Amino acid sequence: MLVLTRKPGQSILIGDNIEVKIIDVQGDQVRIGINAPKDISILRKELMDEVRQANREAVVDSFGISLEELNRVLKE
């Protein structure tokens, strides 16, 4: 993982076409802006983690087995 220090108004570039800009810092919160092409998805990781967990629980509820066990059965 690359760790950088930036001040409000400063940016970092990812590749040629993604800019992450520090908008504001207040206490322990940082506001960032992201400029990226429309075909690039920008998602909050904690929300994706919640969706993945809900999907895992749905598999267990639907099939009564864990994802690992279901994966093992499907590979046989």
Side-chain angles (χ1 to χ4, degrees), residues 17-18 34-43:
N17 56 1
I18 300 173
I34 303 170
N35 287 320
K38 292 189 184 293
D39 63 322
I40 301 289
S41 295
I42 301 171
L43 305 169

Side-chain angles (χ1 to χ4, degrees), residues 20-33:
V20 179
K21 184 172 186 176
I22 305 304
I23 305 298
D24 189 28
V25 178
Q26 293 182 358
D28 64 348
Q29 291 191 332
V30 178
R31 292 181 60 219
I32 61 172

Side-chain angles (χ1 to χ4, degrees), residues 11-12 15-16 21 26 34 40 42-43 46-47 53 60-61 63-64 71:
S11 300
I12 62 167
D16 293 330
K21 184 172 186 176
Q26 293 182 358
I34 303 170
I40 301 289
I42 301 171
L43 305 169
E46 65 274 11
L47 295 180
Q53 184 59 36
V60 171
D61 290 346
F63 297 103
N71 190 33

Side-chain angles (χ1 to χ4, degrees), residues 56 59-61 63-73:
R56 286 187 180 98
V59 167
V60 171
D61 290 346
F63 297 103
I65 61 176
S66 69
L67 281 178
E68 293 78 15
E69 189 175 348
L70 179 61
N71 190 33
R72 183 183 54 76
V73 168

